[in-house]
Amino acid sequence: MLLKECFAVSAQLSSDFAELSSDSLQAVKTCYASLSEAFRNTFPKKPEEEDPFADFLDLWSDPGFPEFDADLIIQGDPEARTQFAFISGHEVDVPALASLIQKVCKSALPFGFQWAEVADKDIAGAFGGGYYVVTDTEIFGGSTRWLMAETLQTARAGAT
C-alpha cells in the first residue's frame, strides 16, 4: 500500500540519506528507482532537480527533516478494498500528513481529521489541537491556537 511505502521512505530518507554528498546521490537515485510504480507516479522526479525525491520532500515545510514522527497502523480487509489508517505519535508533523493524504489517499477525499496536543505538565500553550479537511485541491484548517487567533482578530476588527 502506498501510504505504508511513504512512511517507510520517510524513515529511510531521515536516516540513510540525511546528508547528501555527490557519492550518495547515486544511492538516492537507486533507492528511488527501486520503489513502486505507484510511488514514482505519485511523486515523479522533477526535471529541474537532481534529487529524485524532491516532489516527495515538498510534503514538509522543512524538507531537510522529512519525518512524519508518527506510527501508522492499517486495519481492514485488503480484499474488500476497505482499510482504515490509524496514525498516532508524539510531535507528529500534522500539516505534512494532511499533504500526504491529499496526494496518496485520493479515494478517501474529501477527508477530515482532528488531532490533540497534550503535555505531561500544566504549561501555558501546551494543550490544544486542531483539524484539517482535505480535498483534492485544497487543505483547510489548522491548530485551535491559530483558529482562535484568527477569530479574535476578526472579532476585534468588527468591534472597532
Side-chain angles (χ1 to χ4, degrees):
M1 159 177 246
L2 185 55
L3 192 58
K4 276 185 171 181
E5 186 175 22
C6 289
F7 268 72
V9 169
S10 167
Q12 186 172 15
L13 290 176
S14 298
S15 61
D16 295 350
F17 305 116
E19 299 290 325
L20 282 180
S21 67
S22 57
D23 294 337
S24 63
L25 188 56
Q26 186 54 46
V28 169
K29 289 178 179 180
T30 301
C31 175
Y32 180 82
S34 72
L35 296 172
S36 72
E37 184 177 341
F39 183 92
R40 293 189 320 271
N41 287 338
T42 304
F43 300 101
K45 182 185 178 313
K46 293 180 174 183
E48 70 278 7
E49 296 284 344
E50 276 290 313
D51 185 348
F53 288 102
D55 192 39
F56 182 67
L57 295 173
D58 283 345
L59 294 173
W60 289 270
S61 60
D62 184 352
F65 296 97
E67 294 256 359
F68 295 114
D69 288 322
D71 296 318
L72 172 67
I73 297 171
I74 305 235
Q75 295 180 342
D77 180 9
E79 297 300 319
R81 301 179 58 92
T82 302
Q83 296 185 331
F84 300 93
F86 296 93
I87 302 171
S88 63
H90 301 283
E91 300 181 30
V92 174
D93 190 334
V94 181
L97 286 173
S99 295
L100 178 69
I101 289 166
Q102 186 181 49
K103 292 278 271 188
V104 305
C105 301
K106 298 227 180 256
S107 66
L109 301 179
F111 179 81
F113 67 93
Q114 300 176 52
W115 78 91
E117 296 173 4
V118 296
D120 296 8
K121 301 175 186 168
D122 287 334
I123 302 169
F127 298 90
Y131 78 96
Y132 278 112
V133 172
V134 181
T135 72
D136 195 39
T137 58
E138 296 184 83
I139 299 174
F140 304 95
S143 72
T144 54
R145 213 172 286 116
W146 174 81
L147 294 167
M148 182 178 66
E150 288 290 311
T151 304
L152 283 170
Q153 183 176 355
T154 301
R156 288 180 182 134
T160 58

